[in-house]
């Protein structure tokens, strides 16, 4: 009976949504065509960017989606913790590294929120600082344009579709 409960349990909605975010963040177009560095840091930046877009969309719906937003954020940090451990970070340093990632993540959320309110040129600057900081190549203008169109695409999709991880991005 206990085994049945363990195996019959449906995946948590936040985990399904997080997996969809990671799937989109790993699309080759970002690394090949837009010059996002195909590194641990570059992949982190793309997950944060996609997480921002989904959280931004859910935030507009207010209280009914606050719990999902929190669980989605928790799923992200659990994944970061797991990834650090897989890369060989010791138990003592994982907490500090996750805390540093959290600061970076929330800093980017604020930067992207402010930049999107100001327009595409401001967003381009924020992306250049964050995503392309360690490279002289990269298409911050192209990524800013994509990000604005992705935000618009999410606006046009029903909240329940986005929350279920069944959304589409350009």
């Amino acid at each position: 009976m206990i085994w049945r409960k363990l195996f019959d349990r449906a995946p948590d909605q936040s985990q399904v949504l997080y997996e969809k975010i990671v799937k989109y963040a790993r699309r080759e177009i970002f690394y090949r065509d837009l010059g996002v560095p195909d590194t641990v840091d570059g992949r982190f930046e793309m997950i944060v960017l996609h997480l921002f877009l989904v959280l931004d969309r859910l935030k507009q719906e207010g209280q009914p989606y606050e719990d999902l937003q929190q669980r989605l954020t928790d799923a992200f940090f659990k994944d970061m913790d797991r990834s650090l451990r897989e890369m060989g970070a010791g138990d003592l340093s994982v907490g500090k590294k996750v805390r540093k990632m959290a600061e970076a993540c929330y800093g980017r959320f604020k930067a992207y929120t402010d930049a999107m309110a100001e327009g595409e040129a401001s967003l381009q600057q924020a992306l250049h600082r964050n995503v392309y900081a360690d490279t002289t190549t990269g298409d911050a203008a192209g990524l800013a344009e994509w990000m604005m169109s992705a935000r618009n695409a999410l606006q046009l999709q029903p909240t329940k579709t986005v929350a279920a991880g069944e959304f589409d991005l350009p």
Side-chain angles (χ1 to χ4, degrees):
M1 185 68 118
I2 290 177
W3 292 105
R4 175 166 287 186
K5 288 181 182 179
L6 288 174
F7 292 111
D8 288 346
R9 204 178 309 174
D12 182 272
Q13 181 181 8
S14 62
Q15 189 60 41
V16 170
L17 184 53
Y18 181 70
E19 289 171 7
K20 180 74 173 241
I21 287 168
V22 170
K23 177 183 171 193
Y24 269 109
R26 290 184 176 163
R27 287 190 301 176
E28 190 175 321
I29 187 171
F30 297 115
Y31 308 95
R32 182 193 63 221
D33 299 346
L34 296 174
V36 172
D38 193 2
T39 61
V40 171
D41 290 340
R43 289 177 180 261
F44 170 80
E45 293 295 343
M46 292 312 297
I47 292 171
V48 168
L49 187 148
H50 284 78
L51 180 63
F52 164 77
L53 289 168
V54 171
L55 289 172
D56 180 65
R57 173 65 176 87
L58 295 175
K59 191 185 320 180
Q60 295 171 14
E61 300 300 324
Q63 194 278 328
Y65 290 93
E66 286 177 0
D67 180 58
L68 177 58
Q69 291 174 63
Q70 183 60 56
R71 289 184 293 123
L72 180 57
T73 304
D74 292 346
F76 167 72
F77 288 114
K78 283 179 191 171
D79 185 38
M80 294 302 104
D81 182 282
R82 181 194 55 75
S83 294
L84 285 168
R85 290 175 193 281
E86 283 180 3
M87 291 187 305
D91 287 342
L92 297 175
S93 66
V94 169
K96 292 177 187 176
K97 289 181 180 186
V98 170
R99 192 170 321 120
K100 189 174 180 179
M101 288 174 146
E103 290 170 5
C105 179
Y106 291 123
R108 277 140 178 88
F109 287 177
K110 180 171 178 10
Y112 296 153
T113 298
D114 294 348
M116 286 188 128
E118 294 172 17
E120 199 168 310
S122 183
L123 180 58
Q124 181 179 340
Q125 291 173 350
L127 291 169
H128 183 73
R129 274 191 317 271
N130 295 312
V131 177
Y132 300 106
D134 296 332
T135 182
T136 56
T137 61
D139 186 1
L143 186 56
E145 182 181 333
W146 176 86
M147 199 170 168
M148 296 295 270
S149 68
R151 186 183 202 199
N152 291 336
L154 287 171
Q155 297 296 332
L156 297 174
Q157 297 173 62
T159 306
K160 287 184 179 184
T161 300
V162 174
E166 298 171 358
F167 60 88
D168 290 310
L169 294 175

